[in-house]
Amino acid sequence: MSVESVSGTAQIIDGKATAKALRAEVREHVLRLSERGLQPGLRVVLVGEDPASQVYVRNKDRAAVEAGFDVDTIRLPATTSQEEVLACVRALNEDPKVHGILVQLPLPGDLDGDRTVEALASHKDVDGLHPANVAALWRGEEGLVPCTPAGCIELLDRYGIEISGKRAVVLGRSMLVGKPLAALLLARNATVTVCHSRTEDLPAVTREADILVAAVGRAGLVQADWVRPGACVIDVGINRNEAGKLVGDVDFEGVRQVAGAITPVPGGVGPMTIAMLLRNTALAAERTLSA
Ligand code: NAD
């Protein structure tokens, strides 16, 4: 598909099917590693009882088991002290059976997410948030890349959407999504603009995009007249609308009439995040063989 092609109804980028294919590939990778005597180990640290995090962690667990990982969730009460969280992370850093550690963020109460991430061994930081991995991403060195932005790039690649030389606009500048995605697009030779809550005349900027990514957290922010005809629109947002329905940051029904390709919510970027987490963990495990 060419992002220049103008069509009445956009191609739907099926994240659910793509993630399924990717998980099957990871399973193959895990089988090859097992032939070399290695089973990738993933530990998820979940502090507190936030219901959304509980659901997310359960889904991660299930996908990791299906892909052949040794996976466990360490559940700590919301009353856990910062020192206890750090001690848990350090013990996992030292455990040779563990190749990937994911601390479910945000942490409850006064617990410091940044300090906790900084305590991770960077080669086990499968969420790609440790400062060493952030630096590696911007320097173009080998590291671990945050799962959601990596999933967005994977979708573009698997749908044959050209990145090099294209104009990419990213809405949102978080450490988790917006900034790493900008770095990845830049590394692939896109011309990248990052917009945020203080950007003036957002629609004028977004209309220039060949690839438009929304990672804001505001239902229906991106309207049809914000989108250049034929552009590829990647919707990272996860929101509940007034009716309680899960929706993205993009007005899907309106924008699909203008865009060349679009990810739905649910079933777009969301499923890719867990698949990329598994891929990162398998990669982290494989690197221990050559370390
Ligand atoms: P965040 O709150 O950390 O960052 C939001 C960003 O949006 C900020 O940089 C802010 O400047 C910008 N912003 C706010 N209002 C804006 C506006 N009106 N116009 C332009 N920019 C604006 O959020 P996040 O962690 O980056 O997540 C963004 C969204 O993506 C959320 O809906 C979140 O639930 C979703 N998300 C989805 C996945 C997934 O797996 N699909 C993973 C992570 C986050």
mmCIF file of all heavy atoms in Angstrom, residues 56 148 172-174 176-178 195-197 202 215-218 221 236-239 249 269-270 273, ligand 1:
data_model
loop_
_atom_site.group_PDB
_atom_site.id
_atom_site.type_symbol
_atom_site.label_atom_id
_atom_site.label_comp_id
_atom_site.label_asym_id
_atom_site.label_seq_id
_atom_site.Cartn_x
_atom_site.Cartn_y
_atom_site.Cartn_z
ATOM 1 N N TYR A 56 -4.382 -6.479 32.552
ATOM 2 C CA TYR A 56 -3.270 -6.399 31.608
ATOM 3 C C TYR A 56 -2.221 -7.469 31.939
ATOM 4 O O TYR A 56 -1.743 -8.189 31.053
ATOM 5 C CB TYR A 56 -2.686 -4.984 31.682
ATOM 6 C CG TYR A 56 -1.693 -4.669 30.609
ATOM 7 C CD1 TYR A 56 -1.902 -5.077 29.298
ATOM 8 C CD2 TYR A 56 -0.537 -3.949 30.896
ATOM 9 C CE1 TYR A 56 -0.990 -4.783 28.310
ATOM 10 C CE2 TYR A 56 0.375 -3.643 29.913
ATOM 11 C CZ TYR A 56 0.151 -4.078 28.617
ATOM 12 O OH TYR A 56 1.067 -3.788 27.643
ATOM 13 N N THR A 148 5.289 -0.722 22.933
ATOM 14 C CA THR A 148 4.205 -0.128 22.136
ATOM 15 C C THR A 148 4.748 0.594 20.898
ATOM 16 O O THR A 148 4.263 0.347 19.779
ATOM 17 C CB THR A 148 3.335 0.800 23.010
ATOM 18 O OG1 THR A 148 2.804 0.025 24.086
ATOM 19 C CG2 THR A 148 2.195 1.408 22.224
ATOM 20 N N GLY A 172 1.818 13.429 21.150
ATOM 21 C CA GLY A 172 2.174 12.893 22.470
ATOM 22 C C GLY A 172 3.676 12.781 22.598
ATOM 23 O O GLY A 172 4.365 12.413 21.632
ATOM 24 N N ARG A 173 4.189 13.130 23.787
ATOM 25 C CA ARG A 173 5.650 13.135 23.979
ATOM 26 C C ARG A 173 6.056 12.383 25.244
ATOM 27 O O ARG A 173 7.005 12.756 25.930
ATOM 28 C CB ARG A 173 6.160 14.569 24.038
ATOM 29 C CG ARG A 173 5.515 15.384 25.139
ATOM 30 C CD ARG A 173 6.120 16.771 25.242
ATOM 31 N NE ARG A 173 5.245 17.644 26.001
ATOM 32 C CZ ARG A 173 5.459 18.939 26.188
ATOM 33 N NH1 ARG A 173 6.517 19.504 25.677
ATOM 34 N NH2 ARG A 173 4.622 19.655 26.888
ATOM 35 N N SER A 174 5.296 11.324 25.576
ATOM 36 C CA SER A 174 5.637 10.568 26.791
ATOM 37 C C SER A 174 6.890 9.720 26.570
ATOM 38 O O SER A 174 7.254 9.410 25.432
ATOM 39 C CB SER A 174 4.473 9.662 27.200
ATOM 40 O OG SER A 174 4.343 8.601 26.284
ATOM 41 N N LEU A 176 7.021 6.703 27.401
ATOM 42 C CA LEU A 176 6.549 5.354 27.104
ATOM 43 C C LEU A 176 6.213 5.193 25.615
ATOM 44 O O LEU A 176 6.459 4.141 25.028
ATOM 45 C CB LEU A 176 5.295 5.075 27.951
ATOM 46 C CG LEU A 176 4.768 3.661 28.010
ATOM 47 C CD1 LEU A 176 5.795 2.745 28.641
ATOM 48 C CD2 LEU A 176 3.455 3.608 28.782
ATOM 49 N N VAL A 177 5.636 6.232 25.011
ATOM 50 C CA VAL A 177 5.175 6.085 23.631
ATOM 51 C C VAL A 177 5.741 7.171 22.702
ATOM 52 O O VAL A 177 6.505 6.877 21.782
ATOM 53 C CB VAL A 177 3.622 6.082 23.534
ATOM 54 C CG1 VAL A 177 3.204 5.708 22.112
ATOM 55 C CG2 VAL A 177 2.981 5.138 24.535
ATOM 56 N N GLY A 178 5.353 8.426 22.914
ATOM 57 C CA GLY A 178 5.641 9.492 21.940
ATOM 58 C C GLY A 178 7.119 9.644 21.630
ATOM 59 O O GLY A 178 7.522 9.619 20.454
ATOM 60 N N CYS A 195 4.177 16.505 18.460
ATOM 61 C CA CYS A 195 3.229 17.496 18.982
ATOM 62 C C CYS A 195 2.831 17.121 20.406
ATOM 63 O O CYS A 195 2.965 15.975 20.823
ATOM 64 C CB CYS A 195 1.974 17.534 18.126
ATOM 65 S SG CYS A 195 2.284 17.968 16.422
ATOM 66 N N HIS A 196 2.321 18.099 21.149
ATOM 67 C CA HIS A 196 1.980 17.882 22.555
ATOM 68 C C HIS A 196 0.871 18.840 22.955
ATOM 69 O O HIS A 196 0.323 19.557 22.098
ATOM 70 C CB HIS A 196 3.239 18.041 23.415
ATOM 71 C CG HIS A 196 4.036 19.233 23.045
ATOM 72 N ND1 HIS A 196 3.694 20.489 23.461
ATOM 73 C CD2 HIS A 196 5.111 19.366 22.220
ATOM 74 C CE1 HIS A 196 4.549 21.353 22.941
ATOM 75 N NE2 HIS A 196 5.426 20.694 22.177
ATOM 76 N N SER A 197 0.599 18.894 24.260
ATOM 77 C CA SER A 197 -0.551 19.666 24.728
ATOM 78 C C SER A 197 -0.414 21.167 24.463
ATOM 79 O O SER A 197 -1.404 21.889 24.453
ATOM 80 C CB SER A 197 -0.759 19.414 26.220
ATOM 81 O OG SER A 197 0.450 19.641 26.911
ATOM 82 N N LEU A 202 -2.876 22.415 15.979
ATOM 83 C CA LEU A 202 -2.568 20.990 15.766
ATOM 84 C C LEU A 202 -3.052 20.474 14.396
ATOM 85 O O LEU A 202 -2.281 19.815 13.683
ATOM 86 C CB LEU A 202 -3.224 20.205 16.904
ATOM 87 C CG LEU A 202 -2.595 18.951 17.448
ATOM 88 C CD1 LEU A 202 -1.123 19.133 17.716
ATOM 89 C CD2 LEU A 202 -3.330 18.540 18.721
ATOM 90 N N ALA A 215 -1.007 9.394 20.258
ATOM 91 C CA ALA A 215 -0.731 8.743 21.552
ATOM 92 C C ALA A 215 -0.948 9.780 22.645
ATOM 93 O O ALA A 215 -0.015 10.244 23.283
ATOM 94 C CB ALA A 215 0.692 8.194 21.585
ATOM 95 N N VAL A 216 -2.211 10.159 22.828
ATOM 96 C CA VAL A 216 -2.557 11.266 23.713
ATOM 97 C C VAL A 216 -3.403 10.801 24.901
ATOM 98 O O VAL A 216 -3.128 11.139 26.058
ATOM 99 C CB VAL A 216 -3.310 12.366 22.904
ATOM 100 C CG1 VAL A 216 -3.868 13.436 23.833
ATOM 101 C CG2 VAL A 216 -2.378 12.978 21.864
ATOM 102 N N GLY A 217 -4.451 10.016 24.603
ATOM 103 C CA GLY A 217 -5.362 9.623 25.668
ATOM 104 C C GLY A 217 -6.583 10.518 25.723
ATOM 105 O O GLY A 217 -7.111 10.785 26.794
ATOM 106 N N ARG A 218 -7.047 10.973 24.528
ATOM 107 C CA ARG A 218 -8.280 11.778 24.449
ATOM 108 C C ARG A 218 -9.163 11.241 23.338
ATOM 109 O O ARG A 218 -8.809 11.321 22.158
ATOM 110 C CB ARG A 218 -7.955 13.248 24.203
ATOM 111 C CG ARG A 218 -7.507 13.928 25.491
ATOM 112 C CD ARG A 218 -7.362 15.404 25.337
ATOM 113 N NE ARG A 218 -8.520 16.047 24.732
ATOM 114 C CZ ARG A 218 -8.548 17.344 24.450
ATOM 115 N NH1 ARG A 218 -7.501 18.102 24.715
ATOM 116 N NH2 ARG A 218 -9.620 17.882 23.920
ATOM 117 N N LEU A 221 -10.018 12.745 19.500
ATOM 118 C CA LEU A 221 -9.278 14.003 19.269
ATOM 119 C C LEU A 221 -9.038 14.247 17.783
ATOM 120 O O LEU A 221 -9.268 15.343 17.263
ATOM 121 C CB LEU A 221 -7.936 13.944 20.020
ATOM 122 C CG LEU A 221 -6.996 15.128 19.835
ATOM 123 C CD1 LEU A 221 -7.513 16.352 20.583
ATOM 124 C CD2 LEU A 221 -5.577 14.788 20.325
ATOM 125 N N VAL A 236 -2.826 4.951 18.986
ATOM 126 C CA VAL A 236 -2.297 4.262 20.179
ATOM 127 C C VAL A 236 -3.240 4.428 21.372
ATOM 128 O O VAL A 236 -3.248 3.626 22.296
ATOM 129 C CB VAL A 236 -0.887 4.801 20.530
ATOM 130 C CG1 VAL A 236 -0.304 4.085 21.738
ATOM 131 C CG2 VAL A 236 0.065 4.649 19.342
ATOM 132 N N GLY A 237 -4.051 5.468 21.345
ATOM 133 C CA GLY A 237 -4.892 5.822 22.503
ATOM 134 C C GLY A 237 -5.828 4.704 22.931
ATOM 135 O O GLY A 237 -6.323 3.928 22.111
ATOM 136 N N ILE A 238 -6.015 4.618 24.233
ATOM 137 C CA ILE A 238 -7.019 3.700 24.785
ATOM 138 C C ILE A 238 -7.866 4.528 25.756
ATOM 139 O O ILE A 238 -7.368 4.995 26.781
ATOM 140 C CB ILE A 238 -6.371 2.520 25.544
ATOM 141 C CG1 ILE A 238 -5.430 1.733 24.621
ATOM 142 C CG2 ILE A 238 -7.439 1.600 26.118
ATOM 143 C CD1 ILE A 238 -4.702 0.596 25.315
ATOM 144 N N ASN A 239 -9.120 4.733 25.403
ATOM 145 C CA ASN A 239 -10.009 5.554 26.228
ATOM 146 C C ASN A 239 -11.375 4.894 26.308
ATOM 147 O O ASN A 239 -11.717 4.066 25.475
ATOM 148 C CB ASN A 239 -10.218 6.940 25.575
ATOM 149 C CG ASN A 239 -8.917 7.543 25.080
ATOM 150 O OD1 ASN A 239 -8.096 7.971 25.868
ATOM 151 N ND2 ASN A 239 -8.725 7.567 23.756
ATOM 152 N N ASP A 249 -7.825 7.537 20.143
ATOM 153 C CA ASP A 249 -7.743 9.003 20.075
ATOM 154 C C ASP A 249 -8.291 9.528 18.750
ATOM 155 O O ASP A 249 -8.364 10.734 18.535
ATOM 156 C CB ASP A 249 -6.270 9.454 20.174
ATOM 157 C CG ASP A 249 -5.689 9.222 21.558
ATOM 158 O OD1 ASP A 249 -6.461 8.981 22.505
ATOM 159 O OD2 ASP A 249 -4.447 9.292 21.675
ATOM 160 N N VAL A 269 -3.107 -1.318 17.776
ATOM 161 C CA VAL A 269 -1.793 -1.298 18.429
ATOM 162 C C VAL A 269 -1.788 -2.146 19.709
ATOM 163 O O VAL A 269 -0.793 -2.791 20.034
ATOM 164 C CB VAL A 269 -1.387 0.168 18.751
ATOM 165 C CG1 VAL A 269 -0.105 0.210 19.552
ATOM 166 C CG2 VAL A 269 -1.258 0.973 17.469
ATOM 167 N N GLY A 270 -2.902 -2.144 20.442
ATOM 168 C CA GLY A 270 -2.975 -2.820 21.752
ATOM 169 C C GLY A 270 -2.394 -4.228 21.751
ATOM 170 O O GLY A 270 -1.461 -4.521 22.509
ATOM 171 N N THR A 273 1.484 -4.742 21.655
ATOM 172 C CA THR A 273 2.344 -4.421 22.795
ATOM 173 C C THR A 273 2.815 -5.697 23.500
ATOM 174 O O THR A 273 4.007 -5.861 23.775
ATOM 175 C CB THR A 273 1.598 -3.480 23.764
ATOM 176 O OG1 THR A 273 1.310 -2.275 23.051
ATOM 177 C CG2 THR A 273 2.414 -3.151 24.993
HETATM 178 P P1 NAD B 1 0.721 10.353 28.761
HETATM 179 O O1 NAD B 1 -0.452 10.889 29.508
HETATM 180 O O2 NAD B 1 1.978 10.035 29.467
HETATM 181 O O3 NAD B 1 1.082 11.357 27.579
HETATM 182 C C1 NAD B 1 0.094 11.998 26.815
HETATM 183 C C2 NAD B 1 0.756 12.981 25.887
HETATM 184 O O4 NAD B 1 -0.251 13.620 25.134
HETATM 185 C C3 NAD B 1 1.557 14.086 26.596
HETATM 186 O O5 NAD B 1 2.840 14.134 26.017
HETATM 187 C C4 NAD B 1 0.773 15.363 26.294
HETATM 188 O O6 NAD B 1 1.624 16.490 26.051
HETATM 189 C C5 NAD B 1 0.018 15.010 25.052
HETATM 190 N N1 NAD B 1 -1.253 15.723 24.962
HETATM 191 C C6 NAD B 1 -2.195 15.910 25.914
HETATM 192 N N2 NAD B 1 -3.235 16.609 25.419
HETATM 193 C C7 NAD B 1 -2.951 16.853 24.128
HETATM 194 C C8 NAD B 1 -3.631 17.528 23.083
HETATM 195 N N3 NAD B 1 -4.823 18.064 23.279
HETATM 196 N N4 NAD B 1 -3.039 17.576 21.885
HETATM 197 C C9 NAD B 1 -1.833 17.024 21.656
HETATM 198 N N5 NAD B 1 -1.138 16.371 22.610
HETATM 199 C C10 NAD B 1 -1.694 16.292 23.827
HETATM 200 O O7 NAD B 1 0.150 9.078 27.985
HETATM 201 P P2 NAD B 1 0.896 7.801 27.323
HETATM 202 O O8 NAD B 1 1.345 6.884 28.386
HETATM 203 O O9 NAD B 1 1.855 8.267 26.282
HETATM 204 O O10 NAD B 1 -0.355 7.136 26.602
HETATM 205 C C11 NAD B 1 -1.077 7.811 25.577
HETATM 206 C C12 NAD B 1 -2.303 6.988 25.227
HETATM 207 O O11 NAD B 1 -1.876 5.732 24.715
HETATM 208 C C13 NAD B 1 -3.224 6.659 26.388
HETATM 209 O O12 NAD B 1 -4.548 6.614 25.933
HETATM 210 C C14 NAD B 1 -2.786 5.283 26.818
HETATM 211 O O13 NAD B 1 -3.833 4.540 27.447
HETATM 212 C C15 NAD B 1 -2.446 4.683 25.477
HETATM 213 N N6 NAD B 1 -1.459 3.599 25.526
HETATM 214 C C16 NAD B 1 -1.737 2.497 24.812
HETATM 215 C C17 NAD B 1 -0.844 1.434 24.793
HETATM 216 C C18 NAD B 1 -1.177 0.230 23.968
HETATM 217 O O14 NAD B 1 -0.676 -0.843 24.215
HETATM 218 N N7 NAD B 1 -2.000 0.382 22.937
HETATM 219 C C19 NAD B 1 0.325 1.485 25.537
HETATM 220 C C20 NAD B 1 0.614 2.660 26.240
HETATM 221 C C21 NAD B 1 -0.286 3.709 26.230
#
